[in-house]
């Protein structure tokens, strides 16, 4: 999905897992990543939903700004990038919500699919 192709959206679904890659017009990288099935239910009476952001690649995490627990984020807000082979790939918030857990630190090496952040969905979006 680089500059030499007209492909701007790719969806892969297997069993209950779905991964979507899409080209972003205002992104510094070639494409952005979202995992539609990164949602799990918190075990509480409020039936709140938590979205788990996962690493789209093996690479080094760079926070866009400092990330804190209880920080509010907006849907599609760039929270961090994962650097792989000098390419910086944006990882965006899948929903508007509140960060409930930060599982990595700025500068950490991460594996593909590794959990990075947990965001409580303020609007109970799917």
């Amino acid at each position: 999905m680089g500059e030499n192709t007209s492909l701007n959206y790719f969806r892969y679904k297997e069993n209950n897992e779905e991964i979507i890659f899409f080209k972003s017009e205002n992104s510094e990288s070639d494409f952005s990543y979202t995992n539609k099935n990164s949602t799990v239910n918190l075990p509480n009476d409020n039936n709140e939903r938590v979205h788990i952001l996962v690493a789209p690649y093996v690479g080094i995490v760079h926070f866009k700004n400092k990330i804190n627990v209880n920080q509010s984020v907006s849907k599609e807000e760039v929270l961090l990038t994962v650097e792989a082979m000098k390419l910086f790939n944006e990882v965006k918030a899948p929903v508007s919500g509140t960060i409930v857990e930060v599982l990595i630190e700025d500068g950490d090496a991460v594996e593909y699919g590794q959990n990075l952040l947990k965001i409580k969905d303020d609007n109970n979006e799917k």
Side-chain angles (χ1 to χ4, degrees), residues 77-119:
E77 177 181 342
V78 176
L79 300 175
L80 54 92
T81 58
V82 177
E83 178 187 2
M85 297 176 12
K86 300 294 180 193
L87 294 174
F88 293 83
N89 301 284
E90 296 178 336
V91 178
K92 298 178 180 182
V95 295
S96 294
T98 305
I99 295 175
V100 293
E101 191 172 1
V102 180
L103 303 167
I104 42 85
E105 294 183 19
D106 192 27
D108 278 358
V110 295
E111 296 294 324
Y112 169 79
Q114 180 177 337
N115 294 344
L116 306 174
L117 303 170
K118 293 182 181 180
I119 301 173

Side-chain angles (χ1 to χ4, degrees), residues 6 10-11 13-14 26 33 37 47-48 63-64 68 72 83-84 101 113 120 122 124:
S6 61
F10 175 77
R11 178 179 170 194
K13 187 172 183 178
E14 182 175 285
N26 58 1
Y33 166 86
N37 278 345
N47 196 29
E48 294 174 318
F63 290 168
K64 184 79 172 174
N68 297 307
S72 293
E83 178 187 2
E101 191 172 1
K120 181 175 69 83
D122 290 344
N124 239 4

